[in-house]
Amino acid sequence: MRDSKPCWMIGVRSWVVAAAVFAVAILIWSLLAGAMSALLLLFTAVLLSAGLRPFVDRMAKRVPFGAAVGIAFGTLIIAVVVLGFLLVQPVGVELTKLVAAVPGYAASLQDQLTALQRYIENDKVAHQIAGLLANSAGAAVSTIGPQLLGGSRLVLGSIGDGALILLLAIGWMLSADELGRFVLSLMPAAARDDWRDTLTDIGTRLSAYVRGVVLNGAIVGVVIGISLAVLGVPYALLLAFIGAIFQAIPMVGAVISGPIILLVVLATSGWEKMLIVLAVFTVVQLLDQNILSPIIFGSRVQLSFLLVILATIVGATLLGIPGAFLAVPAAAVLQVIVVRIVAPAIRKANP
Protein backbone atom coordinates (compact mmCIF):
# COMPACT_ATOMS: atom_id res chain seq x y z
CA MET A 1 0.00 0.00 0.00
CA ARG A 2 1.55 3.24 -1.14
CA ASP A 3 1.92 6.01 1.41
CA SER A 4 0.64 9.23 -0.08
CA LYS A 5 0.79 12.70 1.37
CA PRO A 6 -1.66 15.51 0.82
CA CYS A 7 -0.84 17.79 -2.07
CA TRP A 8 -0.90 20.86 0.15
CA MET A 9 1.95 19.39 2.30
CA ILE A 10 4.06 18.85 -0.80
CA GLY A 11 3.31 22.38 -1.92
CA VAL A 12 4.26 23.89 1.44
CA ARG A 13 7.50 21.90 1.56
CA SER A 14 8.41 23.06 -1.94
CA TRP A 15 7.78 26.68 -1.01
CA VAL A 16 9.86 26.35 2.17
CA VAL A 17 12.77 24.77 0.26
CA ALA A 18 12.56 27.45 -2.44
CA ALA A 19 12.50 30.22 0.18
CA ALA A 20 15.49 28.70 1.96
CA VAL A 21 17.47 28.43 -1.29
CA PHE A 22 16.55 32.02 -2.16
CA ALA A 23 17.61 33.25 1.30
CA VAL A 24 20.94 31.42 1.05
CA ALA A 25 21.51 32.87 -2.42
CA ILE A 26 20.83 36.40 -1.12
CA LEU A 27 23.19 35.82 1.81
CA ILE A 28 25.98 34.56 -0.46
CA TRP A 29 25.47 37.46 -2.84
CA SER A 30 25.53 39.96 0.05
CA LEU A 31 28.78 38.50 1.35
CA LEU A 32 30.35 38.58 -2.11
CA ALA A 33 29.13 42.13 -2.73
CA GLY A 34 30.62 43.27 0.57
CA ALA A 35 33.95 41.69 -0.26
CA MET A 36 33.87 42.58 -3.97
CA SER A 37 36.27 45.51 -3.72
CA ALA A 38 38.83 43.29 -1.99
CA LEU A 39 38.32 40.55 -4.61
CA LEU A 40 38.82 43.08 -7.41
CA LEU A 41 42.09 44.23 -5.85
CA LEU A 42 43.20 40.61 -5.43
CA PHE A 43 42.38 39.69 -9.03
CA THR A 44 44.19 42.79 -10.29
CA ALA A 45 47.19 41.74 -8.20
CA VAL A 46 47.03 38.24 -9.69
CA LEU A 47 47.05 39.75 -13.19
CA LEU A 48 50.05 41.91 -12.31
CA SER A 49 51.87 38.92 -10.87
CA ALA A 50 51.06 36.82 -13.95
CA GLY A 51 52.40 39.54 -16.24
CA LEU A 52 55.72 39.68 -14.38
CA ARG A 53 56.09 35.92 -13.86
CA PRO A 54 58.04 35.18 -17.09
CA PHE A 55 60.64 37.82 -16.20
CA VAL A 56 60.92 36.49 -12.65
CA ASP A 57 61.38 32.93 -13.93
CA ARG A 58 64.19 34.04 -16.25
CA MET A 59 66.00 35.93 -13.49
CA ALA A 60 65.46 33.06 -11.04
CA LYS A 61 67.85 30.96 -13.14
CA ARG A 62 70.67 33.31 -12.09
CA VAL A 63 69.64 34.60 -8.67
CA PRO A 64 67.46 33.25 -5.82
CA PHE A 65 63.72 33.39 -6.47
CA GLY A 66 63.09 35.97 -3.73
CA ALA A 67 65.77 38.25 -5.16
CA ALA A 68 64.28 37.84 -8.64
CA VAL A 69 60.88 38.90 -7.30
CA GLY A 70 62.44 41.93 -5.62
CA ILE A 71 64.27 42.97 -8.79
CA ALA A 72 61.14 42.60 -10.94
CA PHE A 73 58.86 44.60 -8.66
CA GLY A 74 61.56 47.17 -7.91
CA THR A 75 61.97 47.78 -11.64
CA LEU A 76 58.19 48.05 -11.96
CA ILE A 77 57.99 50.64 -9.18
CA ILE A 78 60.74 52.73 -10.78
CA ALA A 79 58.98 52.56 -14.17
CA VAL A 80 55.63 53.58 -12.65
CA VAL A 81 57.22 56.53 -10.81
CA VAL A 82 58.96 57.73 -13.97
CA LEU A 83 55.78 57.41 -16.03
CA GLY A 84 53.91 59.20 -13.27
CA PHE A 85 56.21 62.20 -13.51
CA LEU A 86 56.12 62.16 -17.31
CA LEU A 87 52.41 61.50 -17.94
CA VAL A 88 50.16 61.82 -14.91
CA GLN A 89 50.84 65.49 -14.19
CA PRO A 90 50.34 66.77 -17.78
CA VAL A 91 47.33 64.48 -18.30
CA GLY A 92 45.82 65.82 -15.07
CA VAL A 93 46.39 69.40 -16.20
CA GLU A 94 44.67 68.73 -19.53
CA LEU A 95 41.78 66.97 -17.79
CA THR A 96 41.33 69.91 -15.42
CA LYS A 97 41.25 72.36 -18.32
CA LEU A 98 38.81 70.19 -20.28
CA VAL A 99 36.34 69.83 -17.43
CA ALA A 100 36.55 73.56 -16.66
CA ALA A 101 35.78 74.37 -20.30
CA VAL A 102 32.89 71.92 -20.61
CA PRO A 103 30.10 74.59 -20.75
CA GLY A 104 31.79 76.40 -23.63
CA TYR A 105 32.57 73.19 -25.48
CA ALA A 106 28.99 71.98 -25.01
CA ALA A 107 27.74 75.14 -26.72
CA SER A 108 30.33 74.68 -29.49
CA LEU A 109 29.24 71.09 -29.91
CA GLN A 110 25.65 72.24 -30.18
CA ASP A 111 26.62 74.64 -32.97
CA GLN A 112 28.67 72.02 -34.79
CA LEU A 113 25.86 69.47 -34.70
CA THR A 114 23.27 72.04 -35.70
CA ALA A 115 25.38 72.83 -38.78
CA LEU A 116 24.38 69.38 -40.07
CA GLN A 117 21.00 70.84 -40.97
CA ARG A 118 22.26 72.17 -44.29
CA TYR A 119 23.22 68.65 -45.34
CA ILE A 120 20.00 66.95 -44.31
CA GLU A 121 16.71 67.49 -46.07
CA ASN A 122 14.54 67.33 -42.94
CA ASP A 123 15.76 70.32 -40.94
CA LYS A 124 13.43 69.64 -38.03
CA VAL A 125 14.66 66.10 -37.49
CA ALA A 126 18.28 67.21 -37.92
CA HIS A 127 17.83 69.94 -35.33
CA GLN A 128 16.30 67.49 -32.86
CA ILE A 129 19.11 64.97 -33.40
CA ALA A 130 21.79 67.63 -33.03
CA GLY A 131 20.25 69.00 -29.86
CA LEU A 132 19.86 65.53 -28.35
CA LEU A 133 23.48 64.57 -29.10
CA ALA A 134 24.85 67.84 -27.79
CA ASN A 135 22.82 67.73 -24.58
CA SER A 136 23.73 64.08 -23.98
CA ALA A 137 27.42 64.73 -24.55
CA GLY A 138 27.43 67.77 -22.30
CA ALA A 139 25.58 65.94 -19.54
CA ALA A 140 27.93 62.94 -19.77
CA VAL A 141 31.08 65.05 -19.54
CA SER A 142 29.62 67.18 -16.75
CA THR A 143 28.78 64.05 -14.77
CA ILE A 144 32.04 62.18 -15.31
CA GLY A 145 34.33 65.19 -14.97
CA PRO A 146 33.75 66.01 -11.29
CA GLN A 147 34.16 62.31 -10.42
CA LEU A 148 37.52 62.20 -12.21
CA LEU A 149 38.57 65.36 -10.44
CA GLY A 150 37.68 64.18 -6.97
CA GLY A 151 40.62 66.06 -5.58
CA SER A 152 43.04 64.75 -2.99
CA ARG A 153 40.65 62.03 -1.86
CA LEU A 154 40.69 60.41 -5.33
CA VAL A 155 44.47 60.72 -5.59
CA LEU A 156 45.05 59.26 -2.12
CA GLY A 157 42.55 56.48 -2.79
CA SER A 158 44.28 55.57 -6.06
CA ILE A 159 47.70 55.56 -4.39
CA GLY A 160 46.35 53.41 -1.54
CA ASP A 161 44.75 50.92 -3.94
CA GLY A 162 47.95 50.80 -5.98
CA ALA A 163 50.03 50.07 -2.87
CA LEU A 164 47.62 47.30 -1.82
CA ILE A 165 47.69 45.77 -5.30
CA LEU A 166 51.49 45.86 -5.28
CA LEU A 167 51.71 44.16 -1.88
CA LEU A 168 49.13 41.54 -2.89
CA ALA A 169 50.98 40.89 -6.15
CA ILE A 170 54.28 40.36 -4.31
CA GLY A 171 52.60 38.05 -1.81
CA TRP A 172 50.89 36.11 -4.59
CA MET A 173 54.14 35.76 -6.53
CA LEU A 174 55.98 34.41 -3.49
CA SER A 175 53.26 31.96 -2.46
CA ALA A 176 51.67 30.94 -5.79
CA ASP A 177 53.75 27.79 -6.26
CA GLU A 178 53.14 26.55 -2.72
CA LEU A 179 49.44 27.40 -2.98
CA GLY A 180 49.22 25.55 -6.30
CA ARG A 181 50.79 22.43 -4.78
CA PHE A 182 48.35 22.60 -1.88
CA VAL A 183 45.34 22.90 -4.19
CA LEU A 184 46.56 19.98 -6.30
CA SER A 185 47.01 17.86 -3.19
CA LEU A 186 43.28 18.22 -2.51
CA MET A 187 42.35 16.87 -5.94
CA PRO A 188 41.76 13.18 -6.68
CA ALA A 189 44.89 11.50 -8.03
CA ALA A 190 43.19 10.76 -11.35
CA ALA A 191 42.34 14.44 -11.92
CA ARG A 192 45.57 15.93 -10.57
CA ASP A 193 47.37 16.04 -13.90
CA ASP A 194 44.41 17.66 -15.62
CA TRP A 195 44.21 20.38 -12.95
CA ARG A 196 47.98 20.92 -13.09
CA ASP A 197 47.78 21.49 -16.85
CA THR A 198 44.76 23.75 -16.32
CA LEU A 199 46.55 25.95 -13.78
CA THR A 200 49.58 26.16 -16.06
CA ASP A 201 47.39 27.15 -19.01
CA ILE A 202 45.63 29.82 -16.92
CA GLY A 203 48.95 31.30 -15.87
CA THR A 204 50.21 31.33 -19.46
CA ARG A 205 47.08 33.01 -20.80
CA LEU A 206 46.94 35.65 -18.07
CA SER A 207 50.62 36.44 -18.55
CA ALA A 208 50.20 36.79 -22.32
CA TYR A 209 47.06 38.88 -21.83
CA VAL A 210 48.68 41.36 -19.43
CA ARG A 211 51.82 41.84 -21.49
CA GLY A 212 49.76 42.07 -24.68
CA VAL A 213 47.39 44.67 -23.22
CA VAL A 214 50.26 46.88 -22.02
CA LEU A 215 52.14 46.73 -25.32
CA ASN A 216 49.01 47.08 -27.44
CA GLY A 217 47.71 50.04 -25.44
CA ALA A 218 51.09 51.79 -25.57
CA ILE A 219 51.37 51.46 -29.36
CA VAL A 220 47.79 52.57 -30.05
CA GLY A 221 48.05 55.45 -27.57
CA VAL A 222 51.30 56.73 -29.09
CA VAL A 223 49.90 56.59 -32.64
CA ILE A 224 46.69 58.39 -31.67
CA GLY A 225 48.57 60.98 -29.63
CA ILE A 226 51.02 61.77 -32.44
CA SER A 227 48.17 62.03 -34.95
CA LEU A 228 46.20 64.43 -32.75
CA ALA A 229 49.30 66.52 -32.00
CA VAL A 230 50.16 66.82 -35.71
CA LEU A 231 46.60 67.99 -36.40
CA GLY A 232 46.88 70.55 -33.60
CA VAL A 233 43.95 69.10 -31.63
CA PRO A 234 43.79 70.31 -28.00
CA TYR A 235 44.13 67.74 -25.21
CA ALA A 236 46.06 65.35 -27.48
CA LEU A 237 47.87 63.72 -24.56
CA LEU A 238 44.66 63.21 -22.57
CA LEU A 239 42.80 61.74 -25.56
CA ALA A 240 45.73 59.45 -26.36
CA PHE A 241 45.74 58.30 -22.74
CA ILE A 242 42.01 57.54 -22.94
CA GLY A 243 42.54 55.54 -26.16
CA ALA A 244 45.42 53.59 -24.62
CA ILE A 245 43.55 52.78 -21.39
CA PHE A 246 40.44 51.47 -23.12
CA GLN A 247 42.54 49.19 -25.34
CA ALA A 248 42.64 47.00 -22.22
CA ILE A 249 39.16 45.84 -23.24
CA PRO A 250 39.86 43.87 -26.45
CA MET A 251 37.53 44.56 -29.38
CA VAL A 252 35.16 46.58 -27.18
CA GLY A 253 37.36 49.34 -25.78
CA ALA A 254 37.52 51.17 -29.12
CA VAL A 255 33.73 51.41 -29.15
CA ILE A 256 33.94 53.22 -25.80
CA SER A 257 36.95 55.46 -26.38
CA GLY A 258 36.15 56.35 -30.01
CA PRO A 259 33.02 58.45 -29.37
CA ILE A 260 34.72 60.26 -26.46
CA ILE A 261 37.71 61.23 -28.61
CA LEU A 262 35.57 62.23 -31.59
CA LEU A 263 33.20 64.37 -29.51
CA VAL A 264 36.09 66.25 -27.91
CA VAL A 265 37.74 66.82 -31.30
CA LEU A 266 34.43 67.97 -32.78
CA ALA A 267 33.80 70.41 -29.93
CA THR A 268 37.32 71.84 -29.95
CA SER A 269 38.42 71.65 -33.59
CA GLY A 270 35.41 71.33 -35.88
CA TRP A 271 34.08 68.87 -38.41
CA GLU A 272 37.09 68.75 -40.74
CA LYS A 273 39.58 67.61 -38.10
CA MET A 274 36.97 65.32 -36.52
CA LEU A 275 36.53 63.49 -39.86
CA ILE A 276 40.31 63.20 -40.24
CA VAL A 277 40.61 61.82 -36.70
CA LEU A 278 37.74 59.41 -37.45
CA ALA A 279 39.63 58.12 -40.49
CA VAL A 280 42.88 57.79 -38.52
CA PHE A 281 41.12 56.08 -35.60
CA THR A 282 39.37 53.64 -37.94
CA VAL A 283 42.62 52.74 -39.74
CA VAL A 284 44.45 52.31 -36.42
CA GLN A 285 41.77 50.00 -35.07
CA LEU A 286 41.62 47.94 -38.28
CA LEU A 287 45.39 47.49 -38.27
CA ASP A 288 45.30 46.69 -34.56
CA GLN A 289 42.58 44.06 -34.81
CA ASN A 290 43.92 42.37 -37.95
CA ILE A 291 47.71 42.72 -37.63
CA LEU A 292 48.95 44.12 -34.33
CA SER A 293 46.79 42.20 -31.83
CA PRO A 294 47.30 38.78 -33.49
CA ILE A 295 51.08 39.36 -33.42
CA ILE A 296 51.13 40.59 -29.79
CA PHE A 297 48.65 38.16 -28.27
CA GLY A 298 49.33 35.25 -30.63
CA SER A 299 47.36 32.07 -30.08
CA ARG A 300 47.82 32.04 -26.30
CA VAL A 301 44.77 34.22 -25.57
CA GLN A 302 41.94 32.52 -27.40
CA LEU A 303 38.71 34.41 -26.79
CA SER A 304 35.85 34.71 -29.22
CA PHE A 305 34.27 38.07 -30.02
CA LEU A 306 30.95 36.93 -28.53
CA LEU A 307 32.60 35.90 -25.26
CA VAL A 308 34.44 39.23 -25.00
CA ILE A 309 31.21 41.19 -25.51
CA LEU A 310 29.21 39.09 -23.03
CA ALA A 311 31.96 39.23 -20.42
CA THR A 312 32.32 43.00 -20.79
CA ILE A 313 28.58 43.60 -20.50
CA VAL A 314 28.25 41.37 -17.44
CA GLY A 315 31.32 42.85 -15.77
CA ALA A 316 30.26 46.43 -16.41
CA THR A 317 26.69 45.74 -15.24
CA LEU A 318 27.76 44.09 -11.99
CA LEU A 319 30.90 46.03 -11.07
CA GLY A 320 30.99 49.15 -13.24
CA ILE A 321 34.20 50.33 -14.95
CA PRO A 322 36.55 48.01 -12.97
CA GLY A 323 34.34 45.07 -13.89
CA ALA A 324 34.55 45.96 -17.59
CA PHE A 325 38.35 45.97 -17.47
CA LEU A 326 38.67 42.73 -15.48
CA ALA A 327 35.86 40.82 -17.19
CA VAL A 328 37.91 39.61 -20.16
CA PRO A 329 40.77 37.98 -18.19
CA ALA A 330 38.18 36.49 -15.82
CA ALA A 331 36.36 35.05 -18.85
CA ALA A 332 39.67 33.62 -20.08
CA VAL A 333 40.15 31.82 -16.75
CA LEU A 334 36.60 30.41 -16.83
CA GLN A 335 37.04 29.34 -20.45
CA VAL A 336 40.16 27.33 -19.61
CA ILE A 337 38.39 25.62 -16.70
CA VAL A 338 35.34 24.79 -18.81
CA VAL A 339 37.33 23.51 -21.79
CA ARG A 340 39.88 21.47 -19.81
CA ILE A 341 37.83 20.26 -16.81
CA VAL A 342 34.07 20.72 -17.13
CA ALA A 343 33.54 19.72 -20.78
CA PRO A 344 35.67 16.53 -20.58
CA ALA A 345 33.84 15.52 -17.40
CA ILE A 346 30.46 16.00 -19.12
CA ARG A 347 31.60 14.00 -22.17
CA LYS A 348 32.93 11.23 -19.93
CA ALA A 349 29.65 11.04 -18.01
CA ASN A 350 27.61 11.02 -21.23
CA PRO A 351 29.59 8.98 -23.80
Side-chain angles (χ1 to χ4, degrees):
M1 185 174 183
R2 187 172 60 183
D3 185 18
S4 60
K5 296 182 179 180
C7 295
W8 65 269
M9 291 184 63
I10 299 176
V12 170
R13 179 180 298 175
S14 300
W15 279 106
V16 170
V17 172
V21 171
F22 183 70
V24 171
I26 292 179
L27 178 61
I28 294 175
W29 174 254
S30 299
L31 294 174
L32 289 177
M36 194 58 67
S37 59
L39 293 176
L40 288 176
L41 293 177
L42 177 60
F43 188 60
T44 306
V46 172
L47 287 177
L48 177 60
S49 177
L52 291 176
R53 187 59 191 253
F55 304 102
V56 172
D57 289 339
R58 290 196 198 100
M59 286 186 292
K61 297 177 181 179
R62 303 177 181 178
V63 299
F65 184 78
V69 172
I71 294 173
F73 281 95
T75 305
L76 176 65
I77 293 173
I78 294 174
V80 169
V81 171
V82 172
L83 287 177
F85 280 113
L86 294 178
L87 294 178
V88 173
Q89 194 273 339
V91 168
V93 170
E94 289 192 357
L95 181 60
T96 303
K97 293 180 179 179
L98 176 60
V99 174
V102 161
Y105 288 140
S108 174
L109 189 61
Q110 173 77 54
D111 296 337
Q112 296 286 349
L113 292 173
T114 304
L116 278 175
Q117 293 180 3
R118 68 172 66 100
Y119 301 106
I120 303 178
E121 295 180 359
N122 193 334
D123 291 343
K124 184 177 180 181
V125 173
H127 181 75
Q128 292 175 349
I129 294 174
L132 178 62
L133 290 175
N135 293 333
S136 299
V141 176
S142 299
T143 302
I144 296 174
Q147 296 179 359
L148 294 176
L149 296 174
S152 59
R153 190 188 320 178
L154 178 61
V155 174
L156 292 176
S158 300
I159 294 175
D161 289 343
L164 287 175
I165 290 172
L166 183 63
L167 291 175
L168 288 171
I170 295 174
W172 181 268
M173 181 80 76
L174 293 173
S175 60
D177 292 339
E178 184 178 354
L179 179 61
R181 288 191 293 269
F182 173 74
V183 171
L184 290 175
S185 69
L186 302 178
M187 302 295 174
R192 201 164 292 165
D193 291 338
D194 292 335
W195 274 103
R196 182 181 294 108
D197 294 339
T198 299
L199 295 178
T200 302
D201 193 6
I202 288 175
T204 301
R205 292 201 185 194
L206 290 183
S207 177
Y209 174 80
V210 173
R211 288 181 283 114
V213 161
V214 172
L215 183 58
N216 190 28
I219 294 174
V220 172
V222 168
V223 173
I224 293 176
I226 292 176
S227 302
L228 295 176
V230 170
L231 291 172
V233 175
Y235 315 111
L237 185 59
L238 172 62
L239 297 179
F241 185 75
I242 291 174
I245 289 297
F246 279 99
Q247 284 297 123
I249 310 178
M251 296 179 285
V252 180
V255 180
I256 302 173
S257 63
I260 298 175
I261 295 173
L262 294 177
L263 280 174
V264 173
V265 175
L266 177 61
T268 59
S269 304
W271 280 102
E272 293 79 7
K273 290 186 177 181
M274 191 277 285
L275 293 176
I276 296 174
V277 172
L278 174 60
V280 171
F281 188 83
T282 302
V283 171
V284 168
Q285 293 301 324
L286 288 175
L287 292 176
D288 173 65
Q289 296 298 329
N290 295 283
I291 299 177
L292 185 60
S293 289
I295 294 176
I296 293 176
F297 290 100
S299 60
R300 289 168 293 183
V301 184
Q302 303 170 358
L303 289 175
S304 66
F305 182 66
L306 177 61
L307 182 58
V308 170
I309 293 178
L310 289 177
T312 304
I313 293 175
V314 172
T317 302
L318 295 178
L319 302 173
I321 295 178
F325 281 101
L326 298 177
V328 175
V333 172
L334 292 178
Q335 182 184 32
V336 173
I337 295 175
V338 169
V339 170
R340 284 187 169 271
I341 301 298
V342 178
I346 294 176
R347 296 190 188 100
K348 191 175 182 179
N350 300 282

